[in-house]
Amino acid sequence: MRTIWYEETLIAMIRIEIDGQAVDVERDTTILQAARQLAIDIPALCHHAAVKPYSACRICTVEVIRRGRSQLTASCSYPIREEIQVLTNSERVIHARRVLMELLLAQCPESKDIRDLAHRLGVENTRFRTRGEGSNCILCGLCVRVCRDVIGVSAISFVNRGWKREVKTPFDAPSEVCIACRACAHVCPTGAIQAEDISGNRMLSFWQTSRELQACASCGRPFAPGAEVQHLTRGRDDLRESLGICPQCRRTETGGRLERWTTSAQSRAIKDHGTP
Amino acid sequence: MESEELQGIIDHYAGEKGALISVLQDLQGVCNYLPEPALRQVSDALHVPLSQVYSVASFYNAFSLKPRGRHHICVCLGTACHVRGAPRVLQEMERQLGIRAGDTTEDMNFTLESVNCVGACALGPVVVADGGYSGQMTARKVSPLLKTLGTSHEENQNDS
Ligand code: SF4
Ligand code: FES
Ligand code: FES
């Protein structure tokens, strides 16, 4: 292995090649990260920078040539540890990705996001039997991981096994712990989870759960689930005031404070020097 | 099950890594299924989110979220058993018990389930009834098997 030592940082860099372009990366950088450094686009569905790789969708498959041998692998979880050559667009990769895409298309033919990605990969139809009515979930697990590892609530999980596997709340009942922060809806790659604010409540119908929205302490408009505000301000009295008002009012208030500050600074300057 | 009894099981494994599965196994052994209030208690006591407990409880075939009957019959539908006629054995079971695989008879006497390979392929078709293995099963052997299970149950009842 050729290792380049960068004196200032003393970090061992590994030189790899992606689609013919060389790049030096730190050990354990994933292929997906390295490719993004080069602005090489690799499709990815179950990957999100906020959580650890999980490699469920395999759509990020690339061809890795290591010591003269080639293999197909998921780029989002492949840690770079030695000199390798990566092909993100070889015939093998394209073929594998298209088959995967057909499978995903069969699983949720109604998801616009999935159909758009399929179209991008040149897949319009699927040879596999499509799942009828049902959710658009592809079981990527992003919602479960974000809720557990980033939000720290663990309101949802995978349930059952095999072809019955689903993401659900415990006992398939409205969640008792969900704070309706909608982080799950935000990361879901297929739009299976939707959050709606209606008449003072935030509804997450996918989880059969709703939470009351709290009124802004300043303008009185309902703006965020009380449960979420409470969760964010747990043990943080310093945040309670600023998170109790809606983003709009917060902006107005910050603007006002800034204005007061500049005018007082100006008047001080006039006092000291006679001119502003 | 009383919550104190469950607390006893929990205390027994307290502090152990992977205590969750051991606790659920014992709970399943005592109750024949995993009742919701018990799962909630386990979640609280072990500080494992309820979603995680439910995930594990619904994953393994050894656990059941619905009450199981006094007798538990498992018909193997794995590849080896399948090609040797397991579907016919299952069909006959369903016919005689009047339930579908996955269900329990109304009198709570029998629960019928199917699995995919119990690791005794050479004996296939295999039926596991109350932990006992019956190999080379045929549709004709279903009725005698059910009868033995039935009588052993009656004996148990007379004993007690
Ligand atoms: S609901 Fe969305 S985020 Fe959750 S597992 Fe399914 S596809 Fe992934
Ligand atoms: S993004 Fe790599 S497997 Fe899903
Ligand atoms: S297939 Fe039935 S025991 Fe293996």
Side-chain angles (χ1 to χ4, degrees):
Chain A
M1 180 178 24
R2 180 172 34 154
T3 312
I4 306 158
W5 291 92
Y6 282 78
E7 271 175 38
E8 339 61 280
T9 50
L10 281 184
I11 294 171
M13 302 295 274
I14 301 166
R15 169 152 299 176
I16 66 160
E17 209 175 79
I18 307 180
D19 294 344
Q21 295 187 59
V23 60
D24 297 328
V25 294
E26 269 175 47
R27 188 185 154 84
D28 284 343
T29 307
T30 64
I31 294 178
L32 187 67
Q33 285 168 333
R36 289 193 174 165
Q37 277 178 33
L38 291 172
I40 292 173
D41 184 39
I42 298 177
L45 285 170
C46 71
H47 177 270
H48 195 284
V51 285
K52 288 209 201 90
Y54 186 63
S55 298
C57 74
R58 320 304 288 192
I59 208 72
C60 67
T61 291
V62 295
E63 190 172 349
V64 171
I65 302 163
R66 178 173 153 261
R67 299 188 193 159
R69 280 169 179 264
S70 142
Q71 89 190 85
L72 288 180
T73 187
S75 63
C76 64
S77 59
Y78 189 103
I80 297 166
R81 302 215 166 126
E82 61 190 311
E83 245 175 81
I84 52 170
Q85 232 182 317
V86 180
L87 300 174
T88 72
N89 244 327
S90 67
E91 227 169 89
R92 260 183 98 192
V93 170
I94 290 172
H95 177 72
R97 255 188 225 152
R98 285 197 177 144
V99 174
L100 287 164
M101 208 58 237
E102 278 190 62
L103 285 163
L104 289 170
L105 208 51
Q107 199 169 6
C108 42
E110 268 133 54
S111 164
K112 189 179 173 297
D113 300 277
I114 291 295
R115 267 182 309 170
D116 286 351
L117 182 59
H119 179 74
R120 240 179 70 203
L121 300 180
V123 176
E124 304 298 342
N125 286 305
T126 173
R127 285 166 287 173
F128 303 103
R129 198 173 58 184
T130 52
R131 191 165 69 170
E133 295 286 292
S135 84
N136 283 334
C137 177
I138 56 163
L139 299 175
C140 75
L142 266 179
C143 52
V144 173
R145 286 177 287 147
V146 162
C147 187
R148 184 190 61 201
D149 302 340
V150 180
I151 310 298
V153 169
S154 276
I156 48 179
S157 64
F158 280 113
V159 306
N160 300 325
R161 186 175 41 159
W163 60 273
K164 288 187 181 159
R165 195 163 151 94
E166 281 179 286
V167 283
K168 282 244 179 291
T169 52
F171 307 103
D172 200 6
S175 172
E176 293 150 33
V177 294
C178 171
I179 57 169
C181 68
R182 64 187 165 188
C184 53
H186 181 76
V187 293
C188 178
T190 66
I193 310 170
Q194 299 288 339
E196 258 184 307
D197 289 356
I198 15 175
S199 52
N201 283 290
R202 177 165 299 165
M203 276 288 304
L204 285 138
S205 47
F206 197 71
W207 310 123
Q208 310 165 60
T209 299
S210 84
R211 288 285 176 273
E212 209 178 312
L213 295 174
Q214 176 179 318
C216 167
S218 172
C219 69
R221 207 172 42 92
F223 76 107
E228 182 187 4
V229 175
Q230 236 170 44
H231 181 80
L232 290 170
T233 53
R234 247 178 342 173
R236 290 294 305 267
D237 291 331
D238 53 325
L239 287 179
R240 204 147 292 154
E241 204 175 313
S242 64
L243 288 182
I245 56 178
C246 71
Q248 233 168 335
C249 290
R250 209 176 313 149
R251 238 171 285 140
T252 321
E253 199 179 83
T254 317
R257 227 180 306 137
L258 222 57
E259 200 180 286
R260 279 196 300 280
W261 182 77
T262 33
T263 29
S264 72
Q266 269 172 358
S267 50
R268 233 181 296 122
I270 294 172
K271 237 203 276 147
D272 292 350
H273 305 288
T275 45
Chain B
M1 182 198 267
E2 296 300 313
S3 75
E4 292 83 44
E5 195 183 343
L6 176 53
Q7 192 55 47
I9 297 178
I10 293 167
D11 291 342
H12 182 77
Y13 296 105
E16 265 176 50
K17 226 178 150 194
L20 177 60
I21 291 191
S22 309
V23 169
L24 294 186
Q25 270 176 324
D26 286 9
L27 180 61
Q28 172 81 36
V30 177
C31 301
N32 236 351
Y33 82 112
L34 303 175
E36 181 176 330
L39 290 179
R40 290 179 182 277
Q41 193 184 334
V42 169
S43 156
D44 285 341
L46 294 178
H47 305 294
V48 178
L50 188 62
S51 62
Q52 210 55 43
V53 174
Y54 187 72
S55 180
V56 172
S58 65
F59 184 86
Y60 293 102
N61 249 347
F63 300 140
S64 169
L65 292 161
K66 283 185 292 183
R68 272 184 183 163
R70 280 175 284 271
H71 298 292
H72 185 230
I73 304 170
C74 229
V75 180
C76 179
L77 290 183
T79 314
C81 293
H82 197 276
V83 297
R84 290 193 192 162
R88 273 195 306 274
V89 176
L90 181 63
Q91 239 175 37
E92 184 60 18
M93 286 275 184
E94 291 183 332
R95 199 186 62 79
Q96 294 207 11
L97 294 172
I99 51 172
R100 307 296 305 264
D103 291 343
T104 301
T105 53
E106 239 170 69
D107 60 3
M108 294 302 285
N109 225 352
F110 295 99
T111 294
L112 182 62
E113 266 167 8
S114 68
V115 277
N116 299 316
C117 194
V118 292
C121 310
L123 297 179
V126 178
V127 170
V128 188
D130 289 345
Y133 285 63
S134 306
Q136 270 132 29
M137 276 298 290
T138 58
R140 237 183 305 138
K141 289 187 188 164
V142 165
S143 169
L145 177 66
L146 289 180
K147 225 166 265 162
T148 1
L149 288 177
T151 29
S152 71
H153 164 58
E154 273 150 32
E155 275 164 20
N156 285 344
Q157 270 196 333
N158 293 341
D159 284 354
S160 56

